[in-house]
Amino acid sequence: MMTIRSLSVLGLSTELIQASQMIPFAPPYWSREDCLKQIIDHIPNIEEALDLTDDFFQYATFMTAPVERTQIANEIIPAAYRSGKPVKYEDVSVTELPNLALFFAILASGYILSPKQNRASPSVQYDKFHHLARAALNVHGVFENGSVVTCQAFLLIGVCELHLGRGPMRETSWKIVGMSFTIGASVSLLICGKELDIYPLSDWST
């Protein structure tokens, strides 16, 4: 597992890194408001976000498709931007942490799976977005505040790490995927199929 010192190149605070690494055990001494304020500071410009989102749909959905474009357009992008600019802290609440977690998970997927070669240090950017997504989920509360969006974010984070196949992260990746199943069951979802798609139980017929 990477240490806090080795993760310092990502430009994240010690608190954010700890929140990511301690998942699903939220730091009891750290407030959601502080986490939200720090996470917002790392939202990229909207052009980069939309570019990475396109890469996600072009290159990542062959593995898993837990998110649709309509959800990103109607829920995820509005959680991160106002009038094309990154949101300000005073304009959002901690209830947006799951949407921001999914937002950063999508960006991470776009970075690591795209074959484009014109981006600087894609693995560093992937790790940065990856840890921001995990931190947002953990501080919001993994199980006590589970939701469909929480399930989607966990599934995407876990599948991308499994795709990378980084030895020290494999066990953690399976745990993350397992958490998505646990949370999905708690909010009446069914995750199934070779592409790990998500379905409401009410839509499932045997």
Side-chain angles (χ1 to χ4, degrees):
M1 178 181 295
M2 288 185 286
T3 64
I4 290 178
R5 179 173 299 181
S6 67
L7 287 171
S8 63
V9 298
L10 304 181
L12 302 179
S13 68
T14 299
E15 290 85 359
L16 280 178
I17 293 169
Q18 287 177 337
S20 170
Q21 292 183 326
M22 293 172 64
I23 202 168
F25 305 107
Y29 50 83
W30 208 43
S31 74
R32 294 178 181 177
E33 289 77 13
D34 287 340
C35 176
L36 180 62
K37 185 179 297 184
Q38 293 193 45
I39 285 173
I40 285 174
D41 288 340
H42 294 283
I43 295 175
N45 64 63
I46 194 166
E47 290 79 11
E48 180 181 4
L50 294 177
D51 186 37
L52 291 172
T53 299
D54 286 340
D55 286 344
F56 165 75
F57 280 105
Q58 186 170 356
Y59 302 110
T61 51
F62 78 94
M63 293 189 306
T64 182
V67 190
E68 296 183 349
R69 287 185 181 272
T70 52
Q71 181 185 357
I72 292 177
N74 297 334
E75 300 174 25
I76 306 305
I77 293 298
Y81 300 94
R82 297 289 189 277
S83 300
K85 302 291 184 181
V87 293
K88 297 179 180 180
Y89 171 71
E90 57 268 22
D91 294 331
V92 295
S93 70
V94 293
T95 59
E96 294 288 2
L97 281 169
N99 280 329
L100 291 172
L102 183 54
F103 168 72
F104 282 112
I106 290 168
L107 299 190
S109 303
Y111 247 110
I112 205 64
L113 295 172
S114 171
K116 295 178 181 178
Q117 301 297 320
N118 61 340
R119 295 193 180 115
S121 303
S123 61
V124 172
Q125 284 298 104
Y126 166 79
D127 282 326
K128 178 179 180 178
F129 291 143
H130 173 80
H131 284 286
L132 285 167
R134 288 168 56 109
L137 286 172
N138 200 16
V139 176
H140 185 255
V142 173
F143 296 114
E144 63 270 29
N145 295 309
S147 65
V148 173
V149 175
T150 303
C151 177
Q152 290 172 303
F154 266 105
L155 184 59
L156 189 53
I157 290 168
V159 170
C160 279
E161 275 297 309
L162 288 171
H163 172 75
L164 286 177
R166 297 192 285 194
M169 297 295 292
R170 287 178 183 172
E171 181 179 355
T172 301
S173 302
W174 280 115
K175 290 178 181 178
I176 293 293
V177 172
M179 285 182 213
S180 73
F181 279 78
T182 301
I183 296 167
S186 73
V187 294
S188 300
L189 293 176
L190 179 68
I191 308 173
C192 67
K194 64 179 181 179
E195 295 184 346
L196 293 179
D197 292 329
I198 296 176
Y199 303 91
L201 282 177
S202 59
D203 293 347
W204 182 258
S205 61
T206 56

